[in-house]
């Protein structure tokens, strides 16, 4: 029999803002009109906690009575027959801040407790869905970099046991591997980088390191090669920009038209510039600088740098010196 207690915490109607936003995304962005309602609940699995401390924690640690509804057990979700339920949890090794904070707070209630807590986010989708529509919703809710679908079953225990890790794998022959064989290796690893990037890494290890890389090195390189770290999305050319009908359409479109006018003025003799998110973000600064209204801007070769420089008088006892901070 499982010693794990399961509870769900759901925001009351007026406070369920994320659920309302997700419903709007599903019906608008994903264009799945059959969905009538969405509920988002925080799921906690709790082990190694006394009955007294558990009861205290229900409405002090895990939920707030004025804004939350707390359900105990899987059967308390009150789902309907046409509802689709799935849960999302962090991948093993990812830091679960919500669960960690809950453990620390439970210990404040009783310093002798050593609780083990895991959390997940549970989605209840009301409406008939096809398998393709369900997958589209799950793909929208799950970031595969750090999360995955979670089992709906209550585990027997939350205690984790780990096997002794193997030695770090070395990709023997990598630096001299034929391209066809290298492509097979690339396809087996599920990397974020392109195959051309992978070829560049091979060239580096062949010419500079003169050795074969480890699995750890390839994974670390792939992490830093990711779109998030390189911000390549910001430099993607925007060719077809449209504005949906709505209350804010006019001010947004007016701002964009002003941007295009400044774009034509500042880049009239340059063929290398194009409309992108990065340029949209920086156009105001460039325009102010051109008009002589931004003379105190710090210029740096650092990419993605943003800093505020302030002159500060530092009193060193024997002398006062003005330094840039």
């Amino acid at each position: 029999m499982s010693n794990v207690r399961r509870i769900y915490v759901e925001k009351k109607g007026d406070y369920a803002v994320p659920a309302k936003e997700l419903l709007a995304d599903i019906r608008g962005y994903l264009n799945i009109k059959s969905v009538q309602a969405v509920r988002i609940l925080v799921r906690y699995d709790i082990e190694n906690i006394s009955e007294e401390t558990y009861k205290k924690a229900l409405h002090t640690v895990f939920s707030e009575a004025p804004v939350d509804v707390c359900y105990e057990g899987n059967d308390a979700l009150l789902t309907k027959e046409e509802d689709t339920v799935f849960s999302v949890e962090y991948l093993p090794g990812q830091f679960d801040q919500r669960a960690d904070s809950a453990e620390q707070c439970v210990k404040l209630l009783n310093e002798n407790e050593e609780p083990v807590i895991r959390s997940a986010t549970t989605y209840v989708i009301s409406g008939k869905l096809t398998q393709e529509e369900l997958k589209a919703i799950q793909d929208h809710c799950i970031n595969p970099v750090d999360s995955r679908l979670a089992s709906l079953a209550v585990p027997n225990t939350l205690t984790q046991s780990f096997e002794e890790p193997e030695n770090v794998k070395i990709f023997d022959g990598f630096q001299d591997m034929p391209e066809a064989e290298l492509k097979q290796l690339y396809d087996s690893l599920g990397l974020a980088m392109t195959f051309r990037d992978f070829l560049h890494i091979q060239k580096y290890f062949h010419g500079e390191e003169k050795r074969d890389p480890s699995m750890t090195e390839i994974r670390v390189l792939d992490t830093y090669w990711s779109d998030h770290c390189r911000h390549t999305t910001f430099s993607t050319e925007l060719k077809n920009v449209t504005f949906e009908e709505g209350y804010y359409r006019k001010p947004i479109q007016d701002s964009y038209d002003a941007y295009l006018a400044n774009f034509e003025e500042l880049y009239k003799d340059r063929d290398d510039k194009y409309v992108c998110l990065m340029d949209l973000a920086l156009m105001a600064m460039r325009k102010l600088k051109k008009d002589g209204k931004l003379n105190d801007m710090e210029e740096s070769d650092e990419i993605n740098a943003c800093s505020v420089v302030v002159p500060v008088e530092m009193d060193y006892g024997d002398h006062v010196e003005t330094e840039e901070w």
Side-chain angles (χ1 to χ4, degrees):
M1 182 178 176
S2 173
N3 294 318
V4 177
R5 306 171 190 258
R6 171 164 291 180
I7 64 172
Y8 294 89
V9 178
E10 180 180 17
K11 292 296 178 188
K12 293 180 180 179
D14 291 341
Y15 304 99
V17 176
K20 295 174 184 177
E21 291 176 344
L22 179 56
L23 176 60
D25 284 348
I26 291 173
R27 292 179 60 84
Y29 178 67
L30 299 180
N31 197 31
I32 302 176
K33 305 299 185 183
S34 61
V35 174
Q36 303 301 316
V38 171
R39 297 168 61 197
I40 299 179
L41 306 95
V42 177
R43 188 183 85 183
Y44 292 99
D45 287 340
I46 310 156
E47 189 178 22
N48 200 27
I49 185 174
S50 66
E51 181 70 19
E52 180 183 1
T53 302
Y54 168 73
K55 290 298 184 185
K56 286 181 181 178
L58 274 179
H59 299 292
T60 56
V61 174
F62 300 110
S63 66
E64 300 176 80
V67 299
D68 294 323
V69 179
C70 188
Y71 307 95
E72 296 184 72
N74 267 340
D75 297 333
L77 274 178
L78 304 176
T79 56
K80 301 174 184 177
E81 185 177 347
E82 68 272 18
D83 289 345
T84 301
V85 181
F86 65 91
S87 293
V88 178
E89 65 183 358
Y90 281 116
L91 291 169
Q94 292 288 332
F95 178 58
D96 187 344
Q97 184 173 1
R98 179 182 281 124
D100 182 72
S101 297
E103 289 180 356
Q104 303 306 318
C105 290
V106 168
K107 290 178 183 178
L108 290 175
L109 294 178
N110 185 341
E111 63 182 8
N112 296 318
E113 300 277 5
E114 291 294 337
V116 181
I117 300 173
R118 300 285 181 269
S119 78
T121 302
T122 296
Y123 299 88
V124 181
I125 313 296
S126 297
K128 292 184 178 180
L129 297 173
T130 65
Q131 287 300 314
E132 291 76 13
E133 289 172 335
L134 174 59
K135 185 177 186 308
I137 293 172
Q138 290 176 338
D139 288 344
H140 183 76
C141 295
I142 301 172
N143 179 1
V145 173
D146 60 17
S147 303
R148 67 182 181 185
L149 275 176
S151 171
L152 297 179
V154 179
N156 292 325
T157 181
L158 301 179
T159 303
Q160 294 178 309
S161 58
F162 301 97
E163 297 180 0
E164 187 72 22
E166 299 178 359
N167 292 332
V168 177
K169 181 178 179 179
I170 303 296
F171 291 112
D172 293 326
F174 178 89
Q175 60 176 318
D176 299 312
M177 195 173 288
E179 185 170 324
E181 189 177 338
L182 190 71
K183 182 64 167 61
Q184 288 183 343
L185 175 61
Y186 167 82
D187 291 338
S188 71
L189 295 175
L191 302 173
M193 69 176 77
T194 67
F195 181 59
R196 288 183 62 187
D197 298 330
F198 204 51
L199 283 169
H200 180 72
I201 290 175
Q202 183 194 43
K203 180 180 178 181
Y204 169 78
F205 275 94
H206 177 84
E208 300 291 333
E209 294 292 322
K210 295 179 173 49
R211 63 176 177 83
D212 296 321
S214 67
M215 173 70 84
T216 302
E217 287 173 314
I218 294 298
R219 293 298 184 189
V220 169
L221 284 170
D222 192 53
T223 299
Y224 280 94
W225 225 290
S226 72
D227 186 69
H228 170 76
C229 291
R230 290 190 295 157
H231 297 284
T232 53
T233 301
F234 298 147
S235 297
T236 300
E237 184 174 3
L238 304 179
K239 296 182 178 180
N240 300 300
V241 178
T242 59
F243 301 89
E244 295 182 354
E245 291 295 338
Y247 184 79
Y248 295 105
R249 173 173 179 168
K250 186 178 186 309
I252 292 174
Q253 186 157 7
D254 288 348
S255 296
Y256 184 70
D257 290 341
Y259 158 77
L260 292 179
N262 289 325
F263 184 94
E264 293 296 327
E265 176 189 348
L266 269 63
Y267 303 139
K268 60 182 179 181
D269 297 322
R270 295 184 60 175
D271 296 330
D272 61 317
K273 304 302 290 186
Y274 52 88
V275 176
C276 63
L277 293 177
M278 184 67 78
D279 198 61
L280 277 162
L282 299 177
M283 181 56 74
M285 175 271 295
R286 290 185 172 126
K287 175 64 173 171
L288 288 170
K289 182 180 177 183
K290 181 179 183 296
D291 292 345
K293 299 177 181 178
L294 197 61
N295 297 322
D296 59 347
M297 183 185 72
E298 181 201 23
E299 296 191 21
S300 169
D301 292 331
E302 178 69 21
I303 299 175
N304 298 326
C306 178
S307 57
V308 178
V309 180
V310 181
V312 178
E313 285 194 355
M314 302 295 296
D315 188 347
Y316 290 102
D318 58 341
H319 72 284
V320 175
E321 186 175 334
T322 300
E323 300 178 358
E324 287 189 344
W325 283 65

